[in-house]
Amino acid sequence: MTVRAADRARYDRATAALDAPVAIVDLDAFDANADDMVRRAGGKPIRIASKSVRCRALLERVLARDGFAGVMSFTLAESLWLARSGYEDVLLAYPSADRAGFAELAADPKLAAAVTVMVDDPAQLAFIDEARDGGGEVVRVCLELDTSLRLLGGRVRVGARRSPLHSPADVADLARLVARRPGFEVVGIMAYEGHIAGVGDAVAGRPVRSRAVRLMQAAARRELAERRAAVVRAVRAVVPGLEFVNGGGTGSVQHTAAEDAVTEIGAGSGLYVPRLFDNYTSFSGRPAALFALPVVRRPGVGVVTVLGGGYPASGAAGVDRLPVPYLPEGLRYDPQEGAGEVQTPLLGSPADDLLIGDKVWFRHAKAGEMCERFDTLHLVEGDRVTATVPTYRGEGRTFL
């Protein structure tokens, strides 16, 4: 029996009393992935990206482990919810236009002490001030650096379009402006290198592309390490008490942690290891988060139909954004139908061994987005469900 076949047998036994659709997290794999992330971080704390987990019970499980500290949130409403729930170190990773949220933040000493907001433009500071509604608490600010690699005099750009702050002078100038503005305090710098941490460099069947990605990432790492260090020096000249410099992501933990200028790593997807993280030379994790759909039809030889399945991931549309049929091995989508809104035909010889009601296990393309489809996660240890916990959705929280 292969490892994957053994996993399927375990998951089927663990969820035998549960009707699909159903979602699980294999805690043995989850914990092993957490250990590997800590090993790669080399002693620097990892701040957990909540968008990649979207389950408070699992956030708390990983934060209880050595090597993890703090949460990187994705909306202001989520940040405030977590802070009200007792999380004391929440970094909002994206700028916000939530007026009510900023009014609440500026009026509450506990929230203002726990939440740090992201800024990369003076207009965002003006927006926050307009939203304060009389709240006088100092707002903690993190400045985001654009990490993109610019070539040929800026005519070619590699990396996400995020912050407009690219040079040390850009970031230092904004730090200086914030420092002069009452009601704000610069406490950190963030620089997420998505083109390094979030792009696989060993894509099966694409050797030329994979080599090109590795060459690009090596060049990008060198350029960013030098520029990030210069940015930190420039900002510390303005803000000597800078508390943290956050960088990295699941695919670049060990590379970013090696930079002296970086004090903490941001990562999260490596806990669940979705399908987009199969194609890396920098690490190899164990799939921990899966969902199962039930067989509801057997249209013919080599075909079964499962209920649901159209759970595409965000990003540029493509086949790689679809969940992948994982267990039993050997199933594939019908190219004429793909993953359906309410039903999905699957092709392959394993279909002939599946009966009505049997489960087909899938891996989502991305990590936390799976949780937007399920109210609960069943936590599996060995071949037993040992706990059932709510996702954000299960707690009535759909932030984006």
Side-chain angles (χ1 to χ4, degrees), residues 289-314:
L290 302 95
F291 65 91
L293 302 177
V295 174
V296 293
R297 285 178 170 159
R298 292 170 49 88
V301 175
V303 186
V304 292
T305 302
V306 296
L307 184 69
Y311 306 161
S314 58

Side-chain angles (χ1 to χ4, degrees), residues 32-57:
N33 293 335
D35 287 341
D36 185 64
M37 290 169 68
V38 170
R39 176 191 62 80
R40 292 195 290 135
K44 291 188 176 177
I46 299 170
R47 184 182 292 274
I48 291 300
S50 63
K51 75 177 181 63
S52 300
V53 179
R54 303 195 199 201
C55 171
R56 283 200 296 170

Side-chain angles (χ1 to χ4, degrees), residues 156-295:
V156 175
R157 174 195 179 107
V158 181
R161 295 183 181 277
R162 293 175 63 111
S163 170
L165 308 176
H166 189 79
S167 71
D170 291 339
V171 188
D173 286 347
L174 185 55
R176 197 170 292 110
L177 188 154
V178 175
R180 290 198 299 261
R181 191 171 188 129
F184 296 92
E185 179 186 13
V186 175
V187 298
I189 299 171
M190 188 186 86
Y192 171 59
E193 52 265 46
H195 52 303
I196 303 171
V199 178
D201 63 349
V203 181
R206 304 285 297 276
V208 175
R209 181 183 186 280
S210 297
R211 176 167 173 75
V213 169
R214 288 194 292 273
L215 291 172
M216 176 277 291
Q217 289 179 340
R221 283 197 300 269
R222 289 192 298 270
E223 185 276 337
L224 179 58
E226 294 179 5
R227 182 159 53 91
R228 181 155 40 200
V231 166
V232 173
R233 287 194 298 271
V235 172
R236 287 195 185 280
V238 178
V239 186
L242 196 68
E243 294 177 16
F244 65 87
V245 177
N246 180 284
T250 287
S252 69
V253 170
Q254 65 269 43
H255 300 299
T256 307
E259 296 182 33
D260 291 338
V262 174
T263 66
E264 64 175 40
I265 307 300
S269 294
L271 296 169
Y272 286 171
V273 186
R275 66 166 295 194
L276 284 176
F277 284 83
D278 286 347
N279 306 315
Y280 285 78
T281 58
S282 60
F283 83 105
S284 177
R286 292 171 55 185
L290 302 95
F291 65 91
L293 302 177
V295 174

Side-chain angles (χ1 to χ4, degrees), residues 5-74:
D7 284 343
R8 180 194 175 202
R10 286 196 301 114
Y11 301 150
D12 283 348
R13 287 195 299 271
T15 62
L18 302 173
D19 288 334
V22 65
I24 66 167
V25 171
D26 183 333
L27 290 181
D28 292 335
F30 181 90
D31 290 343
N33 293 335
D35 287 341
D36 185 64
M37 290 169 68
V38 170
R39 176 191 62 80
R40 292 195 290 135
K44 291 188 176 177
I46 299 170
R47 184 182 292 274
I48 291 300
S50 63
K51 75 177 181 63
S52 300
V53 179
R54 303 195 199 201
C55 171
R56 283 200 296 170
L58 290 174
L59 287 175
E60 289 160 10
R61 182 183 184 91
V62 76
L63 286 170
R65 304 173 69 90
D66 290 340
F68 294 89
V71 173
M72 179 182 287
S73 58
F74 59 99

